[in-house]
Amino acid sequence: MRVLGGYLKKNVRWIVVDVLCLAIMILVISLNNLPISEWIYGASVCLFLLIVIGGMDFWRYYHRHKRLLKIREIIPICVDAMETPEDVLEEDYQAFVRMIDMAKGQEINELKRQGRDMTEYYTMWIHQIKTPIAAMRLLLQEGEYVENDEVSEELFRIEQYVEMALQYLRLNADSTDYVIRRLDLDEAVREAVRKYARVFVRKKIRLDFKPLQTQALTDEKWLVFVVEQILSNALKYTVRGSISIYMKEEADKVLVIEDTGIGIRSEDLPRVCEKGYTGYNGHTDKRSTGIGLYLCKRILAKLGHTIEIESEIGKGTRVLIGLAEE
């Protein structure tokens, strides 16, 4: 019905002309007192021609509409797939569409170029800043200042933020460096734990690490980064107590990292993995960026894994990483 309505609207002027011609013919026949049979014969011939010609024209219109619908399904829409214009006006419209498509393509290419330039710059900056960080750490190891522990801690945070920025850029890059293989989870988790060993000691937080004795099909570097981020959050929001790492019983390859920290409010739980969302804890800790868990969720999704967070205020938080192979 929509196609028929569009066709009638497009040809409304010709329909009016046909009706007027028919009315004029009827008027002429009536003024000349011609027999009614002549009027019926003339009207029948006109109606027959109108139906035949109009039907053929509508058939062409309908099939053209169907072909245009198929062109719309092409993603991205290719202007070269448009049919040959039937008249000058349609040719002008197609030229206008091609101009818009060309301008859009140029704008997209410019945005991509700017994105590549920005990624290259920040990647270079991150690698460059690692040099003075390493030099500062060497100087701290050689120094004998009382404040060394505090300075080392702040330097460790800088390294974390730099690594997070680098992973963020890599995650949004056009190409990734995933190396999917079957790896020993104990080895991967221990690598992350070793990085935070000094923080565990300084904060006097006990680590309860139960041998995982499990393998997973994943990317080691990205999975270690995820575990590091979750450990970082657990250590940040745990004042006293312990952090436990174990495999969930009666579950298919679910890695659990549990802490006895301050917990997360129930209203914040559905949004803690959103980009930039810090929640109540983030407002308390001004250093929170709301990027860590967002990166974890995106990385795990790309690896085909899942993340689930359970928490209760004052009792701690459990992060469950699903590593099951589909």
Side-chain angles (χ1 to χ4, degrees):
M1 291 300 294
R2 188 175 71 87
V3 180
L4 180 60
Y7 176 78
L8 293 175
K9 184 176 180 181
K10 178 177 180 290
N11 294 282
V12 64
R13 288 176 297 180
W14 294 111
I15 294 173
V16 171
V17 170
D18 289 340
V19 172
L20 287 175
C21 290
L22 183 61
I24 292 171
M25 185 184 72
I26 294 172
L27 179 62
V28 170
I29 291 175
S30 62
L31 290 175
N32 288 276
N33 296 319
L34 294 175
I36 190 66
S37 59
E38 299 291 337
W39 178 87
I40 293 175
Y41 176 76
S44 299
V45 171
C46 291
L47 184 62
F48 175 77
L49 291 174
L50 181 64
I51 292 174
V52 171
I53 297 172
M56 291 174 61
D57 192 53
F58 175 73
W59 186 255
R60 289 178 62 255
Y61 179 84
Y62 177 77
H63 277 272
R64 190 172 182 82
H65 168 71
K66 286 296 185 181
R67 286 195 294 269
L68 288 173
L69 286 181
K70 290 182 179 179
I71 292 174
R72 286 173 55 183
E73 295 174 0
I74 300 174
I75 302 175
I77 294 176
C78 179
V79 294
D80 294 330
M82 293 189 296
E83 294 186 343
T84 304
E86 291 187 345
D87 51 39
V88 175
L89 187 61
E90 190 171 338
E91 186 177 347
D92 292 338
Y93 275 119
Q94 289 194 10
F96 185 64
V97 170
R98 286 190 173 90
M99 288 175 59
I100 295 175
D101 182 71
M102 186 181 298
K104 184 186 74 172
Q106 292 174 349
E107 187 173 341
I108 290 174
N109 289 335
E110 178 63 20
L111 289 172
K112 287 182 177 180
R113 185 192 64 78
Q114 293 177 2
R116 285 194 299 268
D117 290 346
M118 184 188 70
T119 301
E120 289 174 3
Y121 171 75
Y122 283 112
T123 302
M124 179 183 67
W125 177 85
I126 290 168
H127 286 295
Q128 286 177 331
I129 202 173
K130 284 184 175 182
T131 301
I133 289 174
M136 290 169 65
R137 187 165 294 284
L138 286 173
L139 290 172
L140 284 171
Q141 292 174 356
E142 295 174 358
E144 297 179 357
Y145 300 104
V146 178
E147 298 86 356
N148 271 7
D149 288 342
E150 288 78 7
V151 176
S152 296
E153 182 181 346
E154 295 303 322
L155 185 59
F156 180 71
R157 287 201 183 100
I158 293 174
E159 290 175 328
Q160 280 184 288
Y161 295 145
V162 169
E163 185 65 24
M164 188 183 299
L166 183 59
Q167 298 299 345
Y168 182 80
L169 288 173
R170 286 175 176 168
L171 190 62
N172 289 282
D174 294 333
S175 59
T176 57
D177 56 349
Y178 295 127
V179 180
I180 305 297
R181 66 180 182 87
R182 195 169 297 281
L183 62 87
D184 185 358
L185 277 182
D186 285 284
E187 179 183 341
V189 173
R190 284 194 178 98
E191 182 180 342
V193 169
R194 280 194 295 270
K195 181 175 180 179
Y196 290 91
R198 293 185 63 180
V199 183
F200 275 99
V201 174
R202 184 182 61 80
K203 297 191 71 172
K204 298 179 181 178
I205 294 175
R206 181 171 57 87
L207 173 65
D208 183 12
F209 179 74
K210 297 179 180 178
L212 308 176
Q213 298 178 343
T214 307
Q215 290 188 335
L217 188 64
T218 187
D219 180 280
E220 182 177 6
K221 182 183 68 176
W222 287 97
L223 182 63
V224 169
F225 174 78
V226 168
V227 175
E228 287 176 356
Q229 290 301 308
I230 296 171
L231 283 176
S232 175
N233 281 351
L235 288 165
K236 184 188 299 183
Y237 297 113
T238 301
V239 180
R240 63 179 63 87
S242 64
I243 294 177
S244 304
I245 303 175
Y246 56 92
M247 297 300 294
K248 185 178 180 181
E249 295 181 359
E250 299 180 357
D252 187 11
K253 292 186 180 180
V254 176
L255 174 64
V256 181
I257 301 176
E258 182 176 2
D259 64 60
T260 57
I262 60 176
I264 304 172
R265 297 195 306 182
S266 57
E267 55 265 39
D268 289 332
L269 273 176
R271 299 188 59 192
V272 290
C273 290
E274 292 182 9
K275 183 180 179 180
Y277 187 79
T278 57
Y280 177 78
N281 293 346
H283 292 298
T284 304
D285 185 355
K286 301 301 181 183
R287 294 169 300 186
S288 179
T289 60
I291 295 295
L293 287 176
Y294 164 76
L295 287 176
C296 291
K297 184 175 182 179
R298 283 197 59 189
I299 290 169
L300 291 173
K302 285 180 176 289
L303 293 174
H305 306 325
T306 61
I307 182 170
E308 183 180 349
I309 301 175
E310 301 172 353
S311 187
E312 189 174 346
I313 286 291
K315 293 188 177 180
T317 301
R318 285 206 319 164
V319 179
L320 298 90
I321 302 175
L323 302 169
E325 301 169 21
E326 295 183 358

